Amino acid sequence: MVAPLPTAEPGSAPSPIVPPFRGNLLGEARFQLEFVGLLASAVHRGVGVRPGDGDPVLAVPGFLAGDASLAVLRAWLRRCGYRAYRSGIAWNVDCSEAAVRRLDRRLAEVAERAGRPVTVIGHSRGGLLAHAVAVRRPSRVRRVITLGSPLASPFDASVLTLAAVGGARLGQNLLRPARPQCLTTDCPCAFGRDLRAATAVPLTSIRTVEDGIVRPESCVVDGADNVAVRGSHLGLCVNAEVYSRIARLL
């Protein structure tokens, strides 16, 4: 994984300054058209999708979202013969370490019920949580697929998104005043360490080069299968090309 840019050594060239990512919030509105395109696609009807034979898949929503945001994906997986499970997240805004611990318990339930390792699909921040839990419990995870997740630099997002993160951080500080570094790059919890560690399971990072929320380059990870598609960040959950990629991986 890629850590924050290090301080330059004496005599060495200074590290490049990465300009703020302004994103494209208006462009994200096209996710509705992408949903219509998905409904009209062959992959949504299951054409060319290998039958799942009951293989378990755990879907993890993105920042400020809940399990409802992945309802279309889970329904498609079930029609294709997979057992798709909710993460139990109603609003993905909590402390990252607390969220990973809850996801770990949910993963244990799903793996025990299915009797086999689980494929974990995470959208945006959900992919960060999926990666961290896979580092902790590799025996329970078959594969991790992330959708628009900035694994290389978790806070490399648009200025508006970072403002929302700042609001969530303020709420966390009010609830847990002893954790002022929550939702920052300086967070001392195990989550940060696990996020920077390599997984022992296959990792596929799917990004959109037209992402209006997360800088696309931050989704590129050394050692992962990095896949680029077209479309919006929000629409990665209902993108026909993404579904085709997931079908091949499953």
Side-chain angles (χ1 to χ4, degrees):
M1 304 300 295
V2 180
L5 290 174
T7 303
E9 295 293 334
S12 65
S15 299
I17 298 176
V18 180
F21 180 58
R22 300 192 181 281
N24 182 9
L25 190 59
L26 290 178
E28 289 296 311
R30 59 183 157 159
F31 80 90
Q32 300 172 72
L33 295 177
E34 292 165 358
F35 177 48
V36 173
L38 172 67
L39 295 180
S41 68
V43 68
H44 188 256
R45 299 192 300 273
V47 177
V49 180
R50 182 183 69 85
D53 194 28
D55 291 336
V57 181
L58 179 61
V60 189
F63 180 58
L64 296 180
D67 284 328
S69 67
L70 299 177
V72 174
L73 175 62
R74 291 195 309 272
W76 171 72
L77 288 167
R78 293 187 184 112
R79 288 200 309 276
C80 295
Y82 296 88
R83 282 183 284 180
Y85 295 90
R86 297 171 179 261
S87 67
I89 297 175
W91 194 33
N92 193 348
V93 72
D94 197 8
C95 160
S96 299
E97 179 62 23
V100 169
R101 291 180 181 179
R102 287 195 298 271
L103 186 62
D104 184 19
R105 292 193 292 270
R106 178 59 172 158
L107 175 66
E109 294 173 359
V110 172
E112 182 177 1
R113 185 181 305 176
R116 66 187 87 172
V118 181
T119 294
V120 186
I121 301 177
H123 177 227
S124 197
R125 189 192 188 210
L128 307 184
L129 304 180
H131 174 85
V133 80
V135 169
R136 297 186 189 187
R137 309 296 180 194
S139 63
R140 294 175 181 164
V141 179
R142 174 176 174 264
R143 173 186 294 276
V144 172
I145 303 173
T146 62
L147 311 178
S149 302
L151 291 167
S153 185
F155 294 96
D156 196 2
S158 70
V159 291
L160 289 177
T161 302
L162 293 180
V165 173
R169 184 185 306 119
L170 178 61
Q172 291 296 330
N173 290 340
L174 292 174
L175 293 173
R176 301 181 179 91
R179 299 183 183 179
Q181 296 169 315
C182 190
L183 294 178
T184 72
T185 56
D186 297 322
C187 177
C189 293
F191 169 78
R193 178 199 64 211
D194 293 338
L195 193 59
R196 291 187 293 270
T199 62
V201 302
L203 168 64
T204 298
S205 175
I206 301 177
R207 70 188 186 281
T208 167
V209 296
E210 301 165 332
D211 201 310
I213 292 180
V214 167
R215 194 190 305 269
E217 293 79 7
S218 66
C219 302
V220 178
V221 189
D222 291 340
D225 178 19
N226 296 292
V227 177
V229 299
R230 306 297 295 268
S232 67
H233 180 87
L234 297 177
L236 285 169
C237 301
V238 290
N239 183 307
E241 187 177 357
V242 170
Y243 278 45
S244 295
R245 294 283 185 173
I246 291 175
R248 296 175 206 168
L249 292 168
L250 295 178

